[in-house]
Amino acid sequence: MLTDAFFSGLAASPRRLSLLLAGAGAAAAAAYLLSVAYRRRRGGGRSIRGAGGAARRRALRLSVTSAEPLLHLLEQTCRDEPSELPVVCQFGDTKCRLVMKNRRRVLEKLQSLMRGGPDALEVITDFDHTLSKFSENGRRVPSSHGIMESYPDLSAEDHKYFRELYTKYYAIEICPDMSDEEKLPHMIEWWTRSHDRMVLAGFQKSVLAQTVDVSGVALRDGWHQFFDRLEELGIPCLIFSAGIGDIIQEILVHFDIRGKLIRVVSNFMLYNEKGVLRGFSEPLIHTFNKRFSAFASSEASANDLVGATDRRHVLLMGDTMGDLRMSEGCNADLVLTVGYLNDRVQDRLSGYADKFDIVCLEDPSLCVPLAVIEAAATGGTA
């Protein structure tokens, strides 16, 4: 049954709606209505506005109320030789496979976070496939760029173009045999070509919410607790993304994430007077230039950077090696890094284990970041 909310969504695509009203024919009208219904069904049939409350009610609540499981594991194994072998950390009903090559170092960092308490802590995190899931029920969860590339008015040729870009450049981005310096020109080329094509497609600001709504984006299990706990403890959170800031902000609205201490630094869309995409903000943010220092010097972004505070402890979360640089230039004495290794685990584990303090293997949850936050919440008990 088609609801009022469904029909109101047609207003977000003026060109197609005008074709229907101009008498494109009953068959064409029916085909269009069915195609929109299919997209809405695939996205859960939700209306983006006001959906946050329902999303919060559906959110899986994790059994993470303290850092004790992680601390106990570290205390039992911190004298072991450095190892890339995974260990299982049990948080209530949730099991997480972790690699902590230098467990003594991780334990010492957690103890320092406990001594500093929440007032000394800030979070700097990537968004795509770090806060959002990599996959769900066997389906790849789209990145913010991927959501833009699902824009309903894209042509078949546009979709083919974006698929070819992804196939070519993603393999380069995650290649363990190439240095960051070798990858850099390819990443700039990927982002530039993708953004240029989006401009050519004539993306309209009016369909932003609808595009997110039908995308099937999913956040990691425990997102509700994660953001609520940050708000309760007064811990700032900088979302530092090489994705598309407008899409990320729309996702936050969708999930009713509205913390006053959350800031997004990303690539934002620029529109003309008719609300049509004409370009993106500069400088371009891509996988390998996500450094706090590079954007803190910009007057436009300086007020948005959480790291401009005097907090000395950082929880850094990411899913690529480039994310490790996000805290460079902020006033931190201690950075504890949590890396999500989502794909091609065997090929990439060694590099991740060398660089990240804690590596979460194919983990759909935020258990480990929550445990780190709970460690800081004890504030001086260590």
Side-chain angles (χ1 to χ4, degrees):
M1 181 177 179
L2 299 179
T3 66
D4 290 341
F6 162 71
F7 282 107
S8 66
L10 293 179
S13 187
R15 182 174 65 84
R16 291 183 173 182
L17 182 58
S18 65
L19 287 175
L20 288 173
L21 297 177
Y32 173 61
L33 291 173
L34 287 172
S35 72
V36 178
Y38 169 74
R39 288 197 300 271
R40 282 194 170 273
R41 178 177 294 275
R42 210 176 63 177
R46 300 181 298 274
S47 171
I48 193 74
R49 300 301 174 187
R56 280 181 171 269
R57 289 192 293 274
R58 290 193 303 271
L60 175 63
R61 188 162 187 85
L62 301 176
S63 302
V64 182
T65 57
S66 77
E68 186 57 35
L70 183 57
L71 287 168
H72 179 72
L73 174 63
L74 288 167
E75 288 165 354
Q76 295 296 313
T77 62
C78 68
R79 292 181 178 83
D80 295 349
E81 291 296 317
S83 173
E84 295 177 8
L85 292 176
V87 293
V88 174
C89 192
Q90 183 91 29
F91 296 96
D93 297 330
T94 306
K95 293 182 179 180
C96 300
R97 291 175 60 236
L98 312 177
V99 171
M100 297 175 285
K101 189 170 182 177
N102 190 333
R103 295 173 195 171
R104 178 178 294 278
R105 180 181 65 190
V106 177
L107 179 60
E108 290 172 351
K109 287 188 176 184
L110 274 175
Q111 290 171 338
S112 293
L113 291 179
M114 293 169 73
R115 287 191 291 270
D119 291 342
L121 181 64
E122 62 182 310
V123 174
I124 301 178
T125 179
D126 173 53
F127 186 84
D128 291 320
H129 302 150
T130 297
L131 289 176
S132 66
K133 290 183 177 181
F134 181 77
S135 62
E136 185 176 54
N137 300 324
R139 173 187 63 85
R140 178 72 175 267
V141 173
S143 66
S144 53
H145 274 99
I147 290 172
M148 273 287 291
E149 292 160 9
S150 67
Y151 172 48
D153 281 346
L154 285 180
S155 66
E157 185 179 348
D158 287 328
H159 284 296
K160 180 174 181 290
Y161 183 84
F162 287 124
R163 284 196 301 271
E164 290 174 348
L165 287 184
Y166 178 83
T167 301
K168 175 180 178 179
Y169 291 108
Y170 179 66
I172 296 173
E173 181 184 25
I174 67 172
C175 178
D177 301 319
M178 293 178 67
S179 68
D180 291 353
E181 289 71 23
E182 291 173 314
K183 294 177 181 181
L184 180 58
H186 299 285
M187 295 302 100
I188 294 174
E189 185 176 66
W190 184 8
W191 262 252
T192 302
R193 292 178 66 183
S194 177
H195 289 180
D196 288 349
R197 190 73 173 209
M198 290 175 190
V199 173
L200 287 175
F203 183 88
Q204 296 182 6
K205 187 176 183 178
S206 60
V207 302
L208 184 63
Q210 180 195 10
T211 301
V212 171
D213 191 27
V214 301
S215 69
V217 65
L219 300 184
R220 290 191 186 271
D221 298 338
W223 61 266
H224 180 291
Q225 289 164 265
F226 177 79
F227 285 105
D228 281 359
R229 202 69 177 114
L230 292 180
E231 187 75 8
E232 291 167 6
L233 296 169
I235 298 174
C237 178
L238 169 63
I239 298 175
F240 201 166
S241 174
I244 299 177
D246 307 68
I247 296 291
I248 293 169
Q249 289 182 334
E250 194 64 45
I251 293 170
L252 296 180
V253 170
H254 173 61
F255 287 98
D256 198 26
I257 299 169
R258 303 172 185 270
K260 296 178 181 178
L261 296 175
I262 298 172
R263 296 291 182 270
V264 178
V265 173
S266 187
N267 299 300
F268 282 89
M269 294 185 280
L270 306 174
Y271 300 95
N272 64 19
E273 65 279 0
K274 295 182 180 180
V276 178
L277 181 65
R278 63 174 179 82
F280 286 82
S281 58
E282 294 183 356
L284 173 70
I285 302 176
H286 55 77
T287 303
F288 296 111
N289 73 340
K290 291 170 65 176
R291 294 178 175 87
F292 175 87
S293 55
F295 296 91
S297 60
S298 167
E299 183 179 348
S301 62
N303 292 332
D304 289 332
L305 292 177
V306 176
T309 70
D310 58 359
R311 295 180 181 242
R312 312 301 291 184
H313 294 166
V314 171
L315 166 59
L316 184 148
M317 302 158 51
D319 75 309
T320 71
M321 301 292 273
D323 291 330
L324 287 161
R325 299 188 180 93
M326 292 189 295
S327 63
E328 287 185 9
C330 70
N331 301 317
D333 297 326
L334 180 152
V335 180
L336 189 148
T337 58
V338 176
Y340 282 92
L341 183 48
N342 300 307
D343 191 22
R344 291 180 57 182
V345 171
Q346 288 187 334
D347 294 342
R348 303 160 69 198
L349 177 57
S350 181
Y352 273 59
D354 283 341
K355 299 296 184 181
F356 284 97
D357 293 318
I358 304 174
V359 182
C360 304
L361 303 179
E362 300 172 306
D363 182 2
S365 80
L366 290 169
C367 279
V368 170
L370 272 166
V372 173
I373 291 167
E374 291 302 336
T378 61
T381 62

